[in-house]
Amino acid sequence: MPDRDFSQGAAYVKGRFVPLMEAAVPVTDWGFTRSDVVYDVVHVYHGGFFRLADHLDRFERAMQARHLAPPETRAQMEDILHACVGLAGLNDAYVSMMALRGRPRVRGSRRPADCDNHFMAYAAPWIDVIPPEVQARGAHVLIASVPRVPDGSVDPTVKNFQWGDLTTGLLEAHGQGFDTAVLCDAEGFLTEGPGFNVFVVKDGRVLTPDRGSLEGITRRSVLEICADLGIEATIAPIPRALLESADEVFATTTAGGVMPIARVSTGHTTHILGNDRPGPISAALREEYWRRHEAGWHLTPVRRDLAET
Ligand code: PLP
């Protein structure tokens, strides 16, 4: 058994497992100084990873897009994720994996190809992007004044830590007493929020943006559930006016699932959705999402034996 305290989480750094609070990135790592890093987050629910292969597929695509090639194989990365969860002894977990550019082998080099890329991962106790009690009443959301960075500049489908616009939106939202923010692009179309995709429900139809957004795994799950439940759901352009006049709005993410939104504000006017509570379609999708978790949908049991190696 490990002799260190992994109770706050377990991490993998440069070939070693360490307690989460000891996991660190060198200050000269380009993953830190240039946000030259891609990542993914998968959750563990009641002892099983949710859609692990889909998260690893997305992570691999992101690494390829950024020419990042850490030494670990995909199979080794998968084992490391299992081992982190096992070491931390978690049944419900937030599990992050990262590929960082690293530091140049040649002193002073400005060439990304001169860097030794590396893989980091950690498992921490479960967290929600929007606290459960806020999800229960429906989140209050500000449409941030900062536009989402253009897709042509930072590809939102390559999961990244370049959160300048999202953090500016969060600061604005919190400063005005809102729970979180959503961002539109410079052309006035809805994109996403800090850590979640956004859905709009109008006249019984479910819509989610076709731009400025990560192709969320939770988003995919919701689209599949909609198809199974006979709810029309589309990936489409969503003008800001549609967001402001929606019947329901909800957010989706790995760390929270389907998260209802009860108020959408421009800062001047606040649109109260339904009766200021989660709408019926949002609530039904949320319930079905978690019911399927209980039934083992897309769940891969955590291999606890890997924590002993
Ligand atoms: N959009 C952003 C910017 C995110 O960071 C996340 C998740 O962290 C999402 C969307 C939701 O994606 P997923 O459902 O795969 O967690």
Side-chain angles (χ1 to χ4, degrees), residues 39-41 55 58 148 159 163 166 192-197 214-219 252-255:
Y39 81 115
D40 214 291
V41 176
H55 282 279
R58 186 173 68 181
R148 184 84 173 107
K159 197 164 161 64
W163 267 44
L166 299 172
E192 61 184 346
F196 52 81
N197 288 111
L214 180 69
E215 292 172 345
I217 304 291
T218 323
R219 180 181 90 153
T252 62
T253 192
T254 289

Side-chain angles (χ1 to χ4, degrees), residues 100-115:
L100 296 85
R101 184 69 62 197
R103 291 181 280 196
R105 283 179 299 279
V106 184
R107 212 181 87 78
S109 169
R110 314 294 282 179
R111 296 169 58 83
D114 285 342
C115 294

Side-chain angles (χ1 to χ4, degrees), residues 56-215:
L56 287 167
D57 286 349
R58 186 173 68 181
F59 185 54
E60 276 193 330
R61 282 198 303 276
M63 286 191 289
Q64 278 160 17
R66 303 296 302 161
H67 298 231
L68 289 161
E72 290 84 356
T73 63
R74 173 175 168 140
Q76 287 169 330
M77 290 177 184
E78 191 169 340
D79 286 355
I80 289 163
L81 300 180
H82 282 271
C84 286
V85 178
L87 281 171
L90 295 166
N91 260 332
D92 300 294
Y94 175 103
V95 184
S96 179
M97 63 201 95
M98 290 149 275
L100 296 85
R101 184 69 62 197
R103 291 181 280 196
R105 283 179 299 279
V106 184
R107 212 181 87 78
S109 169
R110 314 294 282 179
R111 296 169 58 83
D114 285 342
C115 294
D116 285 322
N117 308 158
H118 62 113
F119 174 73
M120 296 176 82
Y122 67 84
W126 176 275
I127 52 163
D128 285 274
V129 166
I130 296 177
E133 62 279 11
V134 174
Q135 293 184 35
R137 70 141 151 78
H140 300 168
V141 169
L142 178 72
I143 306 174
S145 61
V146 59
R148 184 84 173 107
V149 68
D151 291 14
S153 301
V154 178
D155 182 349
T157 69
V158 174
K159 197 164 161 64
N160 63 75
F161 287 137
Q162 294 173 121
W163 267 44
D165 51 353
L166 299 172
T167 301
T168 302
L170 265 183
L171 290 169
E172 193 184 0
H174 293 162
Q176 296 182 41
F178 293 95
D179 298 312
T180 188
V182 295
L183 274 66
C184 293
D185 64 14
E187 285 72 45
F189 288 92
L190 176 62
T191 64
E192 61 184 346
F196 52 81
N197 288 111
V198 185
F199 284 74
V200 161
V201 184
K202 187 72 180 173
D203 300 328
R205 286 179 68 215
V206 171
L207 296 148
T208 192
D210 65 348
R211 63 196 68 191
S213 305
L214 180 69
E215 292 172 345

Side-chain angles (χ1 to χ4, degrees), residues 204-236:
R205 286 179 68 215
V206 171
L207 296 148
T208 192
D210 65 348
R211 63 196 68 191
S213 305
L214 180 69
E215 292 172 345
I217 304 291
T218 323
R219 180 181 90 153
R220 187 188 308 175
S221 302
V222 164
L223 293 172
E224 289 173 6
I225 291 171
C226 284
D228 292 348
L229 298 184
I231 299 168
E232 189 185 336
T234 323
I235 300 172

